[in-house]
Amino acid sequence: MKHISFVFSLAAILMFATGCENMEESSTRTVTLGVQITDNTKAYIDEDSFTPMWTEDDQLAVNSLVQAITVKDINGSSAKLYDVREAEYYYAINPYDIVRDDMTPSSTTVLLDNVQTYSEDSYGNQIVEVPMAAYSTTTSLTFHNLASLLKVHFTNDGSESILLSSIKVKGESYYLCGYGLIENITGTASDVITMTSSQYSYKDVTLDMGRNVVVDAGATKDLYVILPAFAEQGITVTLFNDASHYATFTGTKALANNTIATVTFKASDIVEQSAPLGAINSKFTINSDGDQVYFSKGNLQCTLTADKTCNWAFADHQWDYIGNASGNALITETPGVLSSYPGTVDLFKWSTDNSSDFYGIENSGNPYINANFKDWGTNTISNGSITGTWRTLEASEWTYITHDRTDTFKYTKCNVHGVKGMILFPDNYTHPSGLSDSLKTTDTIQNGSNYDIAISDDDWSQLELAGCVFMPAAGERGSEYDNTNQEVFFYWLATNQAPISAYYAAGHTTGYGIRLSGYPVRLVQDVTD
């Protein structure tokens, strides 16, 4: 009998509004609470038939005390919490570690993770943590779901086993992660998370399985992604085997609270794509051995929240950059801390493995002496392919791309969509018919020293389809101040120059300097075929 182990809890961070109703404690005596699971939550599942049960590692936050209270005396769906301070009423969140402030039952802000990590129990069954809450005026608490599940049903119709590495879900209209609100916890099935505005929420979620899920030939596998309830909307679900082999479902779905929606895939649906998700469909040789890379479709961005949760993403367009506006101006001297939240940044100090560093999101004068490089590409990119497949170019690789490739046309400075920057022409470039040859003349490409060549949006769309990469002159942030010069073309490279310097791309060449300046980052992915 096939079982899937589910543990529903809040994969979230709670913050609470002031002015909410206060719980009045009747004494300092303690009581024992009975906790009961209902609503098909926190369960072993056999073909979606739930058998609710607690586990010995479950820890809850109860009333305003943000501390772990471990369940005891487990008997399937029932358990006990000992030494809880006696009160007029009781409310609880499972698990405790999502709570970041004093708890109130009237208005609770939650943060649903944009990256969910796949894990299994000792029997190889997936463990999923979904939001759960309870409220009662007695010492008996009954928990109800606050969110739902998307089930990805996979059938291996091939003749060999297959590895599955990640699932990405993107909504068109409603938010699937980030900050949401639980209003008036009642201890009934009506309790639900309502997602908040776009300033605090995102429309994409990743289940990172790390290529650890193996499905034998002829077998099936159900995988589950936690989602808040949403009305009917268009969704895109992408199931990855590896960065270049994936299948995509595009359609409409609605998901009521405490329900399961299903999409199905077969192994034969997973095919090699022209380029990894999030990459431009062209290749660039990076060394004399003939190794090649894809460039990401835009500069790297991080949308940061107060608890240092970062939604990493590529810019929507190749010409997009933030510069001296918005999030970059919010960066402070404290690593990973902004002056207000949320904020989206795209100018980073050189990222190091120093324990105090947070991917270069800071405005301090600390170069982290003798620290090694920590690649931004190790993060999950919400609109990129599987985690860990992106990286930053080395200085020698940038030099090879701009100088040493055998292709006649390598780069040109220009402006696209009114943005100054540089075009990189891919290996074996074919110029679109009907476009001016002046865009690819040797003098323009090899010796252009300004950005005077203006490329229309229509011409750029043809160049982009031909595999051209555009890197905007996205500016720089000074080491201890917030002004940004948007005339310069500097991009960080992965090459260290100890003890306090690192290399950067400076137009078609490279340089190195102290690690304090804020530069943009453009990630690449190795071609593996």
Side-chain angles (χ1 to χ4, degrees), residues 26 38 43 53 111 125 132 178 201 261 264 283 292 331 342 351 356 359 440:
S26 59
T38 187
M53 65 178 300
L111 179 61
N125 304 313
M132 190 166 68
S201 303
T264 61
K283 300 174 183 179
Q292 294 176 302
I331 296 172
S351 175
S356 298
Y359 295 101
K440 63 181 181 68

Side-chain angles (χ1 to χ4, degrees), residues 447-465:
N447 301 317
S449 60
N450 54 49
Y451 305 106
D452 292 341
I453 303 172
I455 298 177
S456 70
D457 286 354
D458 288 342
D459 286 352
W460 169 246
S461 65
Q462 295 185 62
L463 291 168
E464 192 170 36
L465 285 173

Side-chain angles (χ1 to χ4, degrees), residues 68-80:
I69 301 180
T70 304
V71 295
K72 303 289 185 181
D73 300 345
I74 297 171
N75 183 17
S77 63
S78 300
K80 292 181 180 179

Side-chain angles (χ1 to χ4, degrees), residues 196 262 475 499:
T196 55
T262 302

Side-chain angles (χ1 to χ4, degrees), residues 108 189 222 233 359 368 433 481 519:
T108 299
D222 290 333
Q233 66 167 331
Y359 295 101
Y368 298 108
S433 61
Y481 46 89
Y519 296 152

Side-chain angles (χ1 to χ4, degrees), residues 77-355:
S77 63
S78 300
K80 292 181 180 179
L81 298 176
Y82 289 100
D83 299 323
V84 177
R85 183 175 294 182
E86 187 179 46
E88 181 181 349
Y89 51 81
Y90 305 93
Y91 53 97
I93 299 293
N94 182 59
Y96 85 97
D97 57 5
I98 49 128
V99 181
R100 291 296 182 268
D101 253 318
D102 289 343
M103 296 173 59
T104 68
S106 298
S107 180
T108 299
T109 301
V110 301
L111 179 61
L112 300 179
D113 290 340
N114 63 313
V115 179
Q116 300 170 18
T117 302
Y118 180 87
S119 60
E120 296 180 344
D121 62 16
S122 57
Y123 300 100
N125 304 313
Q126 183 184 358
I127 300 172
V128 181
E129 293 190 307
V130 177
M132 190 166 68
Y135 176 92
S136 179
T137 57
T138 72
T139 56
S140 178
L141 289 173
T142 299
F143 282 83
H144 295 268
N145 290 345
L146 297 169
S148 302
L149 291 172
L150 177 71
K151 179 172 75 172
V152 175
H153 179 73
F154 177 77
T155 301
N156 186 352
D157 58 351
S159 58
E160 297 180 352
S161 62
I162 189 170
L163 290 170
L164 302 178
S165 58
S166 65
I167 297 169
K168 288 181 180 286
V169 183
K170 185 175 182 63
E172 290 182 358
S173 305
Y174 298 96
Y175 301 108
L176 305 181
C177 64
Y179 283 98
L181 189 67
I182 311 170
E183 294 185 283
N184 300 318
I185 298 175
T186 62
T188 68
S190 64
D191 294 339
V192 65
I193 294 173
T194 302
M195 303 307 294
T196 55
S197 70
S198 60
Q199 187 179 15
Y200 300 94
S201 303
Y202 312 109
K203 294 180 179 179
D204 43 76
V205 172
T206 298
L207 174 63
D208 182 7
M209 299 178 290
R211 289 182 62 82
N212 289 324
V213 175
V214 181
V215 184
D216 294 333
T220 62
K221 180 74 173 180
D222 290 333
L223 300 161
Y224 296 82
V225 183
I226 306 160
L227 298 175
F230 54 81
E232 185 171 285
Q233 66 167 331
I235 66 167
T236 299
V237 183
T238 307
L239 176 65
F240 289 88
N241 164 243
D242 59 32
S244 297
H245 294 78
Y246 54 88
T248 300
F249 164 88
T250 302
T252 58
K253 291 286 181 182
L255 189 61
N257 193 53
N258 189 32
T259 61
I260 297 176
T262 302
V263 296
T264 61
F265 291 99
K266 304 184 301 294
S268 56
D269 296 330
I270 298 177
V271 297
E272 183 174 11
Q273 308 292 328
S274 57
L277 186 68
I280 297 165
N281 185 23
S282 58
K283 300 174 183 179
F284 293 78
T285 301
I286 56 174
N287 56 40
S288 59
D289 292 332
D291 295 327
Q292 294 176 302
V293 296
Y294 298 103
F295 275 81
S296 62
K297 68 177 186 178
N299 283 2
L300 184 65
Q301 298 179 343
C302 169
T303 300
L304 194 65
T305 57
D307 65 325
K308 291 190 176 182
T309 295
C310 185
N311 185 65
W312 296 94
F314 297 132
D316 290 336
H317 307 99
Q318 293 203 58
W319 61 71
D320 286 342
Y321 70 93
I322 295 168
N324 200 32
S326 188
N328 286 332
L330 303 175
I331 296 172
T332 70
E333 64 181 12
T334 304
V337 175
L338 305 182
S339 57
S340 64
Y341 296 95
T344 300
V345 304
D346 70 352
L347 294 177
F348 307 88
K349 288 174 56 176
W350 198 69
S351 175
T352 75
D353 60 1
N354 185 287
S355 60

